[in-house]
Amino acid sequence: MKGTNLGELEELVMLSVGILYDDAYGLAIQKEIKERCKRSITISTVHSVTSRLEEKGYLSARYDGATPERGGRRKRLFRLTAAGQAAIVKMRNMREEMWSAIPNAALVNG
Amino acid sequence: MTSRMLESFCNPSILEGILGDLEESYFENRTQKGKLRSALIHLLQVVGFLRPRFKNRSKHSNIETMLKNYIIATIRNLSKHKFYASVNIFGLAVGMAAGFMILQYVYQELTYDQFIEDKANIYRVQTNRYNQGTLSTQWAAGAAGAGYYLHQDFPEIVSFVNLTASRAQISYDNDYFELNNPYYAGDNFFEFFSIPLIRGVDSTALMDQMKEVLSESLAQKIFGDEDPIGKVLKQNDAEDYEVTGVFADFPERSHMKFDLLYSFDSFVYFTSEDSRTEWNWDGFLNYVKLHPEVNPDELSTKFDPWMDELRGEEEQANFRIELILQPLTKIHLISNYRGEIKPTGDEKTTYFLLIIGLFVLFIAWINYINLTTARALSRAKEVGIRKVLGSHRTQLIGQFLFESFFLNLVSFVLATLFVVLVFPSFNDFVGRSISYSWPDASIFWIGLAGVFVFGLIVSGFYPAFVLSNFKPITVLKGKFASSASGNNLRRGLVTFQFLASVILITGTFVVYKQMNFLQSQDLGVTIDQTMVIKTPIYQSDSVMAIKDEVFKNLLNSDPAIQGFTTSSSVPGRTPNWNAGGIRLLTQDESESNQYRVLASNANFLDFYDLEIVPGRSFDDSFGTEESNVLFNEAAIKQIGFEEAQEAINQKIIFWGDTFNIVGVVKNYRQESPKQAYDPLIFRYFPSTSGFYSVKISTNNMRESIDGMQSHWESAFGNKVFDFFFLDDYYYEQYQSEVQFGSIFGLFAILAILVACLGLFGLASYITSLRSKEVGVRKVLGASLNQLLRLLTWDFVKLVVFSIIIAAPLSWWLMKNWLDDFENRIQLGLGIFLIPALIIMLIAVLTVAFHTFKTARLNPAETLHDE
């Protein structure tokens, strides 16, 4: 594995998977990111990110929940793996540490 | 279909999820955005999935490996032979670029008036007038009665509209504005041409008299951002017209161009109700709309018998009026008659250019074929090895086609680059604004893609089949030599290239000589140092007469002005007065004829240095000149005199009045040296309106113009001061021929350049093949001279052969072009010899460069290997 660093988009996708919990599939993730971050990313990008995260072992996937709108096809549902959870927690901790290291004076006048 | 694409591409473990997402997203979009848009989005999404990450890795793609192999082979091959590759690509690119520009130009010329919805059913009625069975005048316009009665009598004609030109100056709040193209238009004009108004109501804007509709740019100029509807504009200081609408300016590519349209009812109001139906005044453009099922040719055959009935058979026999239907979208190309709305194009020139463009393109393709097949020898071993290693012929063809594709693509990109770079200057060159924007020129881009594909097939397939056809056993034995048939084909192609080049050079030469000939013609009239100003328009003649007097006095008192005159037209301009029914007093009415008429002051002839052959010019002091006329020599001939002298003091009937011929004016070029001398009658009008011609000193141009303007302002106030210099104006008439000549020349040079590139490449290759032979010959004692002759002779033969074929072809083509000129050069032998010599020289120099190099090589070097 080439490093466990998360890219920004990867982080957003993982957080979305966490939020969506039981219904985290490609299109839902795309919508979640659009609503929360006001960022439009294409559906192929979402799939490309999830497949990368699967490779890194941060996401696991299963098939379930076919609907007629999907032409009877099942959703590919994602779940955070233990490693994935650890990775975003680590990310958050790292950020918080860095935030707390900024002296107050640096933030006063922007 | 899209799902199948992804199925074959994507990793099956994630495929179902992707397809499901796509389907769901499509389903959602369809309810919100409509079918077409969601399908488009879907397609883009699918394309988005075609990236390596989603690829099915278990399947090994054959195509991919093959393409990779092709690319590597192609690039290696090209970089190994940089010289051939660049000659090939550059030649192809130049040829393509030239072809593209010409095709685009031709395309533009062929697609005028496309914005008019009903264009397929609209025709203009063009009028030919005959006198005693001979064609006398061809009009773009015609009598108003033509449209009116055609519509009335033929159920095939759904509707018609009339237009007639106006000459007016308008003012608003005492600001004067010059109009370029004001017309009176029938009340159904906007509906007829389905031109929506920006402001106002299409169907009613031109109803009723004293209404007018402005073009957007004119409205902007006069009113700025104000709403012009309901405003009143004064025409010629007299009539008030109400603005009832604004139309968008007509596109450049239309044969129509107006800045203001008055209601036709106003015209009728100022003339008479008869103006709608009369047959004697050819000043009206008639457009008719046919039922979609009607065949226009069939309909036109009914016109002649119908006219016989309408006008009487005798009248029609003596003064036949022929009506011709011109399809709306072709008017720009085919029509160039009296009374066009704006200058039209030229069919012959357009097709000539098309031929040139295709020539250049073909030359470029031929280059490609020649260079590729000539190099077949060096690739023969490669083909042999590939075949031995198990390549199928189809695979080899694929490889060579791919190489062609690659080269063509690179050239195509280069060509597009050339076009974009030189395209602004090309625009100036052809005097048209060519647009390459997508929807406007969509057919052009599709055509371009077509040219690309066609070129690929033409230039790619033959070499691919030749190269893939080699038998490994012969090739690898090393005894391979190019086949005789291949050589013959190559010779044929080179011959064609030179043939085309010779024709182009001869063409350039002829066009250039003809232009020179026209410009060096003795015009018979002096036009230099002359400034021409349009006379102002006043409603009342007496006011005009007073102001005119003031102006003339000012001119008289100005020492910088050497003379002036007033006339209804000036040299370089059609005398817009065309009068029929003119005959000698002794002649019968059926013998009458049409003449152009020019009204002027007494000193017009003096001013322009026109020569009186027998008789005298007008003279103010006689006091009776109003009843006298002058004829030019062509008019004398037309009315029936052999000798000019006989005409002096003969009486003529001109529109019911009797006039006396007092003098004969030597023929001069009133319009342009392109045409024959027109029969012209001069009449004496001391206060004619039209143009002031003023002879000024050219020492200080700026000062002269300023001086004139101040005279103008003291005499006419703020009336528009609209002037031009006559010599510039006169030479503008050759503009299109000069342009044609330069385009011809430019593309001839390009064609020769490309052809020489090909020859250069071919010569360098073939001589290098013969380097061993040259070595042996040298060892055996051949001199440099003999070697040069030997190596060059092959090519010279081809060039001579192509010149022999090209001479009659170019003679025929150029004769065809010259036929349009009444006044033209003779096609002498020199016109063919000089281009032939030029081509020969270029070819010999190109080939000699290589042969010289080869012949100078030390035999030891060429013979020591193997």
Side-chain angles (χ1 to χ4, degrees):
Chain A
M1 187 120 333
K2 36 174 174 171
T4 44
N5 284 338
L6 282 181
E8 194 215 359
L9 196 58
E10 287 177 333
E11 193 185 348
L12 291 179
V13 168
M14 282 181 68
L15 291 172
S16 305
V17 169
I19 295 166
L20 291 164
Y21 181 55
D22 225 7
D23 199 29
Y25 67 102
L27 211 57
I29 296 171
Q30 186 194 20
K31 281 183 194 156
E32 194 69 26
I33 293 179
K34 185 164 187 183
E35 262 165 42
R36 287 184 188 269
C37 318
K38 313 286 172 243
R39 262 175 69 173
S40 289
I41 49 176
T42 62
I43 184 70
S44 49
T45 306
V46 174
H47 277 274
S48 137
V49 172
T50 53
S51 98
R52 205 155 56 224
L53 289 170
E54 268 186 274
E55 270 174 23
K56 291 186 181 177
Y58 291 162
L59 291 181
S60 65
R62 69 198 154 86
Y63 272 110
D64 203 359
T67 62
E69 297 92 78
R70 300 176 60 85
R73 295 189 180 92
R74 290 169 302 167
K75 295 169 179 170
R76 195 149 193 273
L77 293 167
F78 298 101
R79 177 80 52 91
L80 296 172
T81 61
Q85 290 170 31
I88 48 174
V89 168
K90 188 180 153 205
M91 193 81 180
R92 190 174 71 178
N93 288 341
M94 194 179 74
R95 290 200 172 172
E96 272 167 8
E97 249 170 60
M98 289 180 78
W99 271 103
S100 59
I102 302 176
N104 282 341
L107 292 170
V108 176
N109 294 319
Chain B
M1 189 203 81
T2 48
S3 70
R4 276 199 38 207
M5 199 160 106
L6 283 181
E7 267 164 36
S8 65
F9 179 80
C10 278
N11 189 341
S13 69
I14 57 167
L15 178 71
E16 189 178 341
I18 291 174
L19 289 178
D21 278 2
L22 285 176
E23 181 110 12
E24 195 179 331
S25 145
Y26 173 71
F27 183 81
E28 262 173 37
N29 282 334
R30 210 180 55 185
T31 47
Q32 289 167 14
K33 296 177 182 164
K35 225 169 172 174
L36 191 76
R37 271 190 63 196
S38 46
L40 207 71
I41 294 173
H42 177 72
L43 193 72
L44 287 176
Q45 283 176 338
V46 169
V47 173
F49 276 101
L50 301 176
R51 39 173 125 170
R53 170 151 293 276
F54 303 114
K55 230 178 64 187
N56 184 353
R57 286 181 199 166
S58 62
K59 224 162 65 176
H60 209 78
S61 163
N62 249 331
I63 296 190
E64 197 193 329
T65 340
M66 197 168 72
L67 276 180
K68 215 184 259 172
N69 192 304
Y70 285 173
I71 294 174
I72 291 173
T74 304
I75 290 176
R76 279 187 189 155
N77 207 329
L78 291 182
S79 50
K80 207 164 124 195
H81 303 280
K82 288 197 189 69
F83 174 69
Y84 300 112
S86 43
V87 166
N88 227 340
I89 291 175
F90 184 69
L92 207 53
V94 170
M96 277 183 180
F100 292 169
M101 281 193 285
I102 286 193
L103 291 183
Q104 168 68 339
Y105 174 79
V106 171
Y107 163 72
Q108 299 257 353
E109 290 294 291
L110 293 180
T111 51
Y112 261 60
D113 291 306
Q114 296 297 319
F115 69 105
I116 292 167
E117 222 167 87
D118 230 354
K119 52 185 181 278
N121 301 321
I122 297 179
Y123 295 82
R124 188 169 73 184
V125 183
Q126 187 241 314
T127 308
N128 286 341
R129 290 249 180 196
Y130 289 78
N131 269 327
Q132 275 86 46
T134 54
L135 184 63
S136 79
T137 317
Q138 291 189 291
W139 292 92
Y148 181 86
Y149 286 108
L150 281 173
H151 176 235
Q152 180 186 295
D153 290 358
F154 288 97
E156 293 95 324
I157 294 171
V158 190
S159 55
F160 80 101
V161 67
N162 271 344
L163 285 171
T164 188
S166 151
R167 189 191 166 212
Q169 280 174 351
I170 50 168
S171 54
Y172 179 67
D173 272 357
N174 275 329
D175 280 334
Y176 286 86
F177 298 92
E178 181 69 9
L179 295 179
N180 295 321
N181 245 358
Y183 270 73
Y184 294 97
D187 51 23
N188 59 341
F189 178 84
F190 295 107
E191 286 180 302
F192 186 90
F193 288 110
S194 57
I195 296 168
L197 290 184
I198 299 176
R199 290 166 187 276
V201 183
D202 292 23
S203 50
T204 57
L206 290 171
M207 288 272 180
D208 235 343
Q209 63 217 29
M210 314 314 283
K211 306 288 184 207
E212 64 186 1
V213 181
L214 311 182
S215 74
E216 200 181 358
S217 54
L218 184 67
Q220 177 70 29
K221 202 161 94 186
I222 300 175
F223 298 106
D225 295 329
E226 268 179 85
D227 183 359
I229 303 287
K231 295 269 180 353
V232 171
L233 290 179
K234 225 176 215 349
Q235 188 205 22
N236 301 340
D237 281 338
E239 304 102 21
D240 287 334
Y241 281 86
E242 185 196 341
V243 179
T244 52
V246 176
F247 59 87
D249 291 35
F250 278 67
E252 189 64 32
R253 271 160 56 209
S254 169
H255 80 285
M256 294 189 275
K257 181 193 175 87
F258 310 108
D259 46 9
L260 192 155
L261 292 169
Y262 296 111
S263 62
F264 200 77
D265 286 350
S266 329
F267 179 76
V268 172
Y269 170 75
F270 286 118
T271 52
S272 76
E273 201 52 42
D274 296 345
S275 310
R276 294 185 197 278
T277 55
E278 57 78 42
W279 277 107
N280 296 318
W281 178 2
D282 292 328
F284 300 85
L285 293 157
N286 293 293
Y287 294 87
V288 294
K289 193 180 280 183
L290 309 188
H291 267 295
E293 307 89 62
V294 173
N295 178 346
D297 297 331
E298 238 165 71
L299 179 63
S300 342
T301 56
K302 298 182 190 163
F303 288 169
D304 258 340
W306 172 72
M307 288 293 270
D308 282 349
E309 203 174 310
L310 195 76
R311 299 178 67 231
E313 255 173 68
E314 196 185 346
E315 179 78 1
Q316 193 60 4
N318 290 329
F319 305 106
R320 183 170 164 228
I321 297 179
E322 184 184 24
L323 302 179
I324 290 163
L325 293 177
Q326 299 178 311
L328 179 74
T329 51
K330 290 236 173 97
I331 291 176
H332 171 74
L333 198 63
I334 61 172
S335 185
N336 185 14
Y337 305 118
R338 264 166 217 284
E340 299 287 354
I341 299 174
K342 66 179 210 189
T344 51
D346 183 52
E347 197 177 12
K348 222 176 234 181
T349 309
T350 307
Y351 288 122
F352 260 109
L353 284 178
L354 185 62
I355 294 175
I356 299 174
L358 290 179
F359 265 169
V360 179
L361 211 51
F362 271 105
I363 290 180
W365 285 331
I366 287 175
N367 257 357
Y368 182 83
I369 298 176
N370 271 347
L371 288 176
T372 317
T373 53
R375 282 186 35 235
L377 293 169
S378 66
R379 304 201 60 179
K381 279 212 172 90
E382 176 193 337
V383 172
I385 299 280
R386 275 178 189 274
K387 280 195 170 174
V388 168
L389 292 180
S391 282
H392 279 291
R393 185 163 179 219
T394 46
Q395 287 170 322
L396 285 168
I397 290 178
Q399 189 202 329
F400 290 122
L401 274 184
F402 181 82
E403 275 194 41
S404 295
F405 172 77
F406 186 80
L407 275 171
N408 266 288
L409 192 69
V410 173
S411 315
F412 187 81
V413 171
L414 262 179
T416 320
L417 212 66
F418 283 156
V419 171
V420 172
L421 283 182
V422 301
F423 142 64
S425 39
F426 181 70
N427 263 350
D428 294 346
F429 212 59
V430 295
R432 295 262 192 288
S433 61
I434 293 179
S435 130
Y436 286 90
S437 57
W438 162 253
D440 193 31
S442 55
I443 299 182
F444 167 72
W445 287 109
I446 293 167
L448 215 62
V451 167
F452 178 68
V453 172
F454 183 74
L456 189 59
I457 292 169
V458 170
S459 63
F461 270 88
Y462 176 73
F465 280 96
V466 170
L467 292 176
S468 61
N469 203 20
F470 294 143
K471 298 216 166 41
I473 198 138
T474 26
V475 195
L476 290 180
K477 256 200 299 197
K479 280 204 167 170
F480 178 78
S482 65
S483 70
S485 74
N487 271 338
N488 280 340
L489 181 92
R490 219 154 32 239
R491 285 202 188 106
L493 292 176
V494 170
T495 312
F496 176 81
Q497 282 188 320
F498 279 100
L499 188 109
S501 306
V502 172
I503 291 177
L504 286 177
I505 294 194
T506 317
T508 312
F509 205 61
V510 171
V511 172
Y512 177 77
K513 277 196 99 170
Q514 171 71 9
M515 285 306 98
N516 258 357
F517 175 73
L518 285 183
Q519 281 170 2
S520 64
Q521 285 286 295
D522 179 18
L523 302 176
V525 49
T526 311
I527 52 171
D528 55 339
Q529 296 186 31
T530 304
M531 181 169 163
V532 176
I533 314 161
K534 283 191 197 160
T535 57
I537 305 168
Y538 284 95
Q539 195 50 33
S540 119
D541 288 346
S542 56
V543 175
M544 172 64 196
I546 295 164
K547 307 247 180 194
D548 180 60
E549 201 54 41
V550 174
F551 186 60
K552 285 178 173 166
N553 283 335
L554 284 169
L555 294 185
N556 266 328
S557 63
D558 186 339
I561 289 164
Q562 292 150 19
F564 63 89
T565 188
T566 317
S567 52
S568 59
S569 180
V570 290
R573 202 184 156 86
T574 316
N576 35 10
W577 186 358
N578 186 67
I582 297 173
R583 60 191 164 88
L584 287 172
L585 198 53
T586 54
Q587 283 172 327
D588 185 63
E589 209 167 306
S590 66
E591 292 175 76
S592 67
N593 255 314
Q594 294 198 21
Y595 295 82
R596 323 275 172 241
V597 184
L598 204 148
S600 72
N601 282 181
N603 66 338
F604 179 83
L605 280 77
D606 253 6
F607 181 90
Y608 279 112
D609 284 340
L610 301 178
E611 206 179 321
I612 302 283
V613 203
R616 61 175 182 85
S617 176
F618 293 127
D619 191 330
D620 286 323
S621 59
F622 280 50
T624 54
E625 297 288 41
E626 269 90 350
S627 60
N628 290 336
V629 290
L630 305 174
F631 270 47
N632 76 346
E633 290 171 313
I636 291 290
K637 202 159 263 168
Q638 177 164 301
I639 211 156
F641 293 111
E642 285 302 314
E643 287 294 321
Q645 192 56 49
E646 300 166 29
I648 300 298
N649 283 325
Q650 295 291 329
K651 304 266 183 294
I652 62 156
I653 301 281
F654 185 137
W655 290 3
D657 292 324
T658 311
F659 292 85
N660 195 21
I661 303 176
V662 294
V664 177
V665 180
K666 190 162 192 248
N667 279 339
Y668 72 99
R669 304 286 179 188
Q670 165 66 26
E671 289 186 47
S672 134
K674 280 188 265 182
Q675 288 140 359
Y677 295 109
D678 242 358
L680 187 61
I681 296 178
F682 297 80
R683 280 186 56 179
Y684 174 76
F685 277 72
S687 59
T688 185
S689 68
F691 302 91
Y692 293 114
S693 311
V694 183
K695 197 137 273 190
I696 51 169
S697 64
T698 40
N699 299 335
N700 191 335
M701 207 58 111
R702 196 62 250 167
E703 215 167 80
S704 306
I705 296 173
D706 289 347
M708 281 305 300
Q709 187 153 13
S710 78
H711 293 327
W712 180 271
E713 276 159 12
S714 25
F716 303 117
N718 53 354
K719 290 277 184 185
V720 180
F721 178 65
D722 187 5
F723 72 97
F724 51 85
F725 288 99
L726 193 59
D727 42 1
D728 296 344
Y729 183 81
Y730 197 92
Y731 289 121
E732 255 171 45
Q733 300 181 97
Y734 312 122
Q735 206 53 37
S736 62
E737 277 79 15
V738 171
Q739 270 165 4
F740 180 57
S742 17
I743 294 174
F744 217 120
L746 174 76
F747 288 101
I749 291 173
L750 282 181
I752 296 160
L753 179 76
V754 175
C756 281
L757 269 182
L759 189 69
F760 191 71
L762 204 61
S764 90
Y765 188 76
I766 289 182
T767 43
S768 76
L769 280 185
R770 294 177 74 175
S771 57
K772 249 177 216 153
E773 176 193 335
V774 171
V776 174
R777 282 179 191 275
K778 270 190 126 172
V779 170
L780 295 178
S783 73
L784 190 62
N785 255 339
Q786 285 170 321
L787 285 173
L788 275 181
R789 210 177 311 140
L790 175 83
L791 291 173
T792 318
W793 179 236
D794 264 354
F795 292 102
V796 172
K797 264 195 307 204
L798 296 184
V799 176
V800 170
F801 186 59
S802 55
I803 288 171
I804 290 171
I805 303 177
L809 260 175
S810 42
W811 179 81
W812 179 78
L813 276 172
M814 289 333 286
K815 195 181 161 306
N816 204 321
W817 181 73
L818 283 173
D819 274 349
D820 275 0
F821 296 88
E822 284 296 334
N823 203 1
R824 54 178 179 247
I825 49 167
Q826 290 304 311
L827 289 174
L829 199 61
I831 285 173
F832 301 102
L833 271 182
I834 294 172
L837 285 177
I838 293 175
I839 279 282
M840 181 68 90
L841 193 72
I842 295 175
V844 168
L845 281 180
T846 312
V847 177
F849 174 76
H850 282 292
T851 46
F852 190 67
K853 236 171 48 182
T854 314
R856 287 253 320 239
L857 283 179
N858 186 345
E861 274 172 34
T862 51
L863 293 176
H864 84 281
D865 57 0
E866 198 174 328

